Amino acid sequence: MAASTSSKRNKFLIPILMAGLVALALYLFDRFLGAHMVQGAYPNVFRIPAVILWALLAYFGVRLLNAALFDFVFRVRRGYEAPTLVRNIFTLVSFTVLFVLIFKSFYAEVNLGALFTTSAIFGVIIGLALQDTLGNFFSGISLHADRPFQVGDVIAVGQQKHTGVVEGITWRAIKIRTFQNHIVLVSNSNAAKEAIEVSPRDNLNARLVFFDTLNSDSPAKTIHVVREAVRDADNVSPKITPIVRIRGFGDSSIEWEVKYWLNDYAKYNDSDALVRQRIWYALRRNGLQLSTPQRVIELERKRAPRPTTPEEQIADRLSAVDIFSPLSTEELQKLAAATVGHVFAPGETLIHAGDEGSSMFVVHGGRVQVQVTENGTPRTVAVLNEGDFFGEMALFTGEPRTANVIAVEETEVLEIGHAAMKHLFETNPDLAESISWTIAERRASLAAGSQQLAQVSIDESAGLLSSIKRFFGLR
Ligand code: CMP
């Protein structure tokens, strides 16, 4: 940032300084040689240095004008960097015109027109030598006239499909930064002959991601599950809902495509990968299966189908959760049998604030963060690790979810529903009391706006306990 400001300053400072120096030289030249900078007033011998000095002055003047026009006026009015090619053409034309004027004012007797027309052979030689360069130059001009793309757009050029973000267009070539961070230069004349696929920066560009599921899986369920998982991923535009549709039927699979729109198309590789990851987790959570070619499926089936989590392990995990510690082994086993395991990807939202909720969760593996949004800014109120629980507030009070809960890393949770808890409350009246304390503490901490636990009064907790009992129909 600092480097670019100083380079901008140099663009103005250097021409001003140099123009000042040249003007001073011209002044001294005039003064000490006693000649006047008026047409024809120089003795012949001083004309050449005078023309050179005037040409230098014109050169720095044009550079200054170029900087003022393109670094300032163009940027402010159009909001983006002026193309290098346009700047170069401007400099070349302005300087040529000024030089001809200066030359004419010193050598009025020389007929420049005749000079150019009589040098036709010279022109042919130069033309042949510069054939490619001029081809690139004019193709560059026509590219600019069409304005098919701008710096920052993603383009794919030609049969070799050079794909990347446009970094610049010069008089010779288009500079593309590929997604492997290489620079590819495609000459303007080649680009003008090839098809160019442009994904403009300020456009909602879409991507297609493919996957297959087993043909025994319900299409309606797959569409719902995948669409919800994809729309929640980073960089997926919220303006258009992703489309999930069947592309065809394989031997034992349904072939799907997901079409989604991106906020920033230049990051489509990462977004495609994230979308595939989300699809994997969402299918798995919902009992749907990705299908791979037949021979792989058989190999996989020979291995024992992966249980979400063995029941002993779950019972073990639940026994370590403080609110469940008073439960007997038998009760823990029953509770374990009633839980459902889910796996979430890093960054996925498990609970949305404001939603209805009739279940709570125990973190079986991984980590989640509890976030509230204040004045549009998210604030993390707690990070919960293995053995911690969340979602109890809505489950036990019937109120909407109080916060967002987001997976920090790959996280496996055990979901416990209303029915399982009601059954436990009937056999363990003390359970409701310890839960009411936790809820009161968390509520107070939410209200206090800090991660420290706030003071909870006995009255508050007692009030909560009676509302939990009412909600669960307990005495
Ligand atoms: P619920 O309101 O159902 O959904 C969001 C969950 O975030 C909430 O239940 C609690 O389990 C959890 N939560 C809210 N505030 C806190 C907090 N201060 N500390 C820990 N967990 C919290």
Side-chain angles (χ1 to χ4, degrees), residues 195-384:
I196 305 179
E197 186 186 318
V198 183
S199 312
R201 199 175 32 165
D202 50 5
N203 184 47
L204 269 183
N205 301 295
R207 292 283 302 168
L208 291 175
V209 166
F210 305 106
F211 66 98
D212 294 355
T213 57
L214 292 184
N215 60 8
S216 50
D217 287 343
S218 145
K221 185 172 175 187
T222 307
I223 290 173
H224 175 73
V225 163
V226 172
R227 192 177 50 213
E228 292 313 302
V230 172
R231 79 198 305 180
D232 206 28
D234 272 359
N235 201 23
V236 173
S237 168
K239 291 184 188 148
I240 309 180
T241 307
I243 296 172
V244 183
R245 55 192 171 204
I246 295 179
R247 237 171 12 115
F249 293 103
D251 287 345
S252 58
S253 62
I254 305 178
E255 296 164 355
W256 293 91
E257 74 180 18
V258 184
K259 183 175 183 183
Y260 73 99
W261 284 260
L262 290 93
N263 290 326
D264 181 357
Y265 192 70
K267 294 192 184 139
Y268 73 73
N269 280 317
D270 291 344
S271 301
D272 281 2
L274 183 65
V275 161
R276 289 190 195 102
Q277 195 200 66
R278 289 291 162 88
I279 292 173
W280 188 92
Y281 281 102
L283 291 178
R284 183 165 193 149
R285 270 201 304 278
N286 289 282
L288 301 165
Q289 261 194 311
L290 280 174
S291 158
T292 39
Q294 192 67 41
R295 57 199 153 88
V296 179
I297 289 170
E298 283 185 359
L299 274 176
E300 283 193 346
R301 283 190 174 162
K302 273 180 197 153
R303 287 192 215 124
R306 180 190 174 281
T308 319
T309 35
E311 265 176 31
E312 296 84 9
Q313 266 186 34
I314 299 178
D316 209 38
R317 162 68 64 221
L318 296 176
S319 69
V321 178
D322 42 6
I323 51 167
F324 297 135
S325 53
L327 302 187
S328 67
T329 314
E330 201 187 330
E331 282 169 328
L332 281 172
Q333 276 165 355
K334 273 193 188 151
L335 183 59
T339 63
V340 185
H342 304 283
V343 189
F344 289 86
E348 262 192 298
T349 305
L350 287 76
I351 282 184
H352 289 272
D355 281 1
E356 300 280 300
S358 57
S359 51
M360 64 176 280
F361 302 85
V362 172
V363 182
H364 191 36
R367 216 150 34 107
V368 297
Q369 57 180 341
V370 180
Q371 250 183 20
V372 286
T373 308
E374 284 167 351
N375 306 324
T377 320
R379 177 172 68 86
T380 300
V381 290
V383 174
L384 304 176

Side-chain angles (χ1 to χ4, degrees), residues 131-140 142-143 171-174 186-194:
Q131 204 174 23
D132 285 349
T133 315
L134 289 176
N136 281 327
F137 180 73
F138 288 112
S139 306
S142 75
L143 274 178
W171 58 272
R172 203 188 79 72
I174 303 168
V186 182
S187 69
N188 289 341
S189 51
N190 278 347
K193 284 182 226 143
E194 302 274 14

